Amino acid sequence: MDRIRIVGGNKLNGVIPISGAKNAALPLMIASLLTDDTLTLENVPHLADVEQLIRILGNHGADISVNGRRERQGESYARTIHFTCRNIVDTTAPYELVSKMRASFWVIGPLLAREGKARVSLPGGCAIGTRPVDLFIEGLQALSANIEIDSGYVNATAPAGGLIGARYTFPKVSVGATHVLMMAATLANGTTVLGNAAREPEVVDLANCLNAMGAKITGQGTSTITIEGVRSLSGARHRVLPDRIETGTYAMAVAMTGGDVILEDTDMALLDTALEAIRRAGAEITETNSGIRVVRNGAGIKPVDIVTDPFPGFPTDLQAQFMGLMTMAKGTSHITETIFENRFMHVQELARLGAKISLSGQTAKIEGVGRLKGAPVMATDLRASVSLVIAGLAAEGETMVSRVYHLDRGFERLEEKLTRCGAHVERVSD
Ligand code: UD1
């Protein structure tokens, strides 16, 4: 199993190209099941989760071809992928495939909308809390789907004439359930109004792509999304938006190690709240023509309290990385996680590097230690594992991160991007 070896202590200096967002690419790929025409996606990151979803979509009958492997030689690895699903050959998403990645459960929306039925295994995914699917079920039932749960599978069927548009208000904000309900409603009879919808940029990206395919969606980016059902959708060409979590992760890495880095092909507006927190911690952040410049020279890291929240709040997917940064602050900070109930697995690993963190319910108290010392650590989930990498970059000596398959699910060419900025990071295969 691969490990990542880091020798910390170097400042980061240079340019890091930001990839297309994993969390946008996945629902966009799934949207290809809604049409018998070709959906072409540009700027798709090369990640284990994307490859896994390619297998899952292939199982449903999608014909997938990948080209444009390198947009800019040696730099980004954005790919253009064509998805054509003339016929859905199988409306079942089996446990063996869905259990590897939670987002693959989302195929339930398009399958039900287009074929009138779907049988989808209950998901697995990162071990960060219970992550139920009650909101998906309730929402699809609101569109008149009949749903039964049997032997670990969700069996969903639509009425004879197809799903029926309705008004549904989510009791809790859910990104995935918003994606699924929005996709399902595009082909429903009549109009659907989703209240308390997720406002994440990835939801907006999906809505824009669906509209390019002929859907009639308005209100994306606000809490109320209206979808007027249409008879069918066509193909389209769409560019996946930049990965705001990758952007924030590298910005925090620079804030932690010090240095001067340009994050290219990204957009400050995607992560205002997180950038503001990094600024308050002592880094200078400015907009450039193609992205964001992050600088920290000399000034120490200041403690900053944060609370995770749905967009536009501080993203839960950057919580672990920000905790890494706060371990080296001059003073005490508090981080409260409100989205997932078990998302502090990185705490004990950061402690191995010398961090002082105590937990009380959903809040972590971090007493800055000024310096960390390298150690062997274990990646526990996708975002937690990258927090260990950035902490390792700032720690003295060697940090060896094991179980890096978590990282490969979400960070494209991490070692290469960091090495180009002067970091000592290498992959070690046993
Ligand atoms: C997506 C992101 C993930 C991010 C999360 C929150 C993708 C592929 N993943 O995950 O990286 O951390 O948004 O920003 O885009 N919930 C229920 N019932 C449901 C569905 C969700 O109770 O039926 C709860 C979850 O357990 C969690 C909260 O709602 O506590 C938010 O989860 P949700 O927004 O659905 O996360 P995902 O879409 O799975």
Side-chain angles (χ1 to χ4, degrees), residues 57-369:
L57 296 176
N59 192 52
H60 294 302
D63 201 355
I64 297 161
S65 69
V66 180
N67 60 26
R69 291 189 79 82
R70 276 170 198 270
E71 265 201 345
R72 229 168 310 154
Q73 195 63 30
E75 280 205 355
S76 83
Y77 203 65
R79 298 182 300 169
T80 297
I81 310 189
H82 309 276
F83 301 84
T84 313
C85 197
R86 294 247 180 278
N87 298 302
I88 305 269
V89 297
D90 195 344
T91 52
T92 299
Y95 176 74
E96 301 73 62
L97 295 178
V98 179
S99 58
K100 296 209 174 91
M101 181 184 37
R102 182 180 160 85
S104 55
F105 180 78
W106 301 350
V107 297
I108 196 168
L111 291 177
L112 188 56
R114 182 165 158 195
E115 295 297 297
K117 61 177 181 172
R119 177 172 157 79
V120 181
S121 168
L122 289 165
C126 279
I128 48 173
T130 50
R131 300 185 89 173
V133 292
D134 53 324
L135 304 178
F136 296 81
I137 292 176
E138 240 183 64
L140 291 171
Q141 282 170 333
L143 299 185
S144 295
N146 178 45
I147 303 219
E148 279 165 22
I149 300 193
D150 167 44
S151 318
Y153 278 78
V154 178
N155 293 323
T157 44
L163 293 172
I164 302 169
R167 189 173 275 274
Y168 176 71
T169 297
F170 295 98
K172 178 176 190 177
V173 177
S174 162
V175 175
T178 304
H179 284 317
V180 164
L181 268 281
M182 202 162 67
M183 286 193 276
T186 56
L187 294 179
N189 296 297
T191 301
T192 299
V193 180
L194 300 176
N196 199 24
R199 289 182 280 165
E200 268 67 3
E202 294 75 20
V203 170
V204 177
D205 207 36
L206 175 64
N208 292 345
C209 177
L210 290 168
N211 281 344
M213 294 164 72
K216 291 191 174 161
I217 303 176
T218 53
Q220 61 272 32
T222 75
S223 320
T224 306
I225 302 179
T226 304
I227 307 116
E228 219 182 293
V230 295
R231 291 192 80 78
S232 65
L233 294 179
S234 60
R237 193 176 182 95
H238 181 85
R239 187 174 173 83
V240 179
L241 95 172
D243 196 315
R244 64 195 166 99
I245 304 304
E246 191 194 23
T247 306
T249 298
Y250 289 125
M252 288 175 198
V254 180
M256 208 165 168
T257 60
D260 186 344
V261 169
I262 291 185
L263 305 172
E264 212 172 43
D265 302 328
T266 187
D267 181 358
M268 283 184 55
L270 296 172
L271 70 164
D272 275 343
T273 311
L275 292 178
E276 188 48 38
I278 302 170
R279 250 190 216 114
R280 282 168 51 212
E284 279 170 49
I285 297 180
T286 46
E287 195 157 17
T288 68
N289 284 342
S290 62
I292 303 171
R293 181 171 174 206
V294 185
V295 182
R296 188 174 70 83
N297 281 324
I301 300 169
K302 298 189 200 90
V304 177
D305 292 348
I306 57 142
V307 177
T308 64
D309 257 323
F311 192 85
F314 190 100
T316 174
D317 285 353
L318 285 172
Q319 180 256 107
Q321 298 89 313
F322 198 73
M323 191 180 294
L325 174 59
M326 287 299 103
T327 62
M328 288 182 59
K330 288 192 175 128
T332 301
S333 59
H334 299 87
I335 295 185
T336 303
E337 171 61 53
T338 71
I339 311 287
F340 293 109
E341 77 256 31
N342 186 21
R343 209 175 201 183
F344 281 135
M345 272 114 55
H346 42 286
V347 167
Q348 60 189 30
E349 299 302 309
L350 287 170
R352 295 177 56 77
L353 300 173
K356 274 198 188 163
I357 306 169
S358 54
L359 288 178
S360 165
Q362 293 294 90
T363 299
K365 177 177 163 197
I366 304 113
E367 289 168 71
V369 290

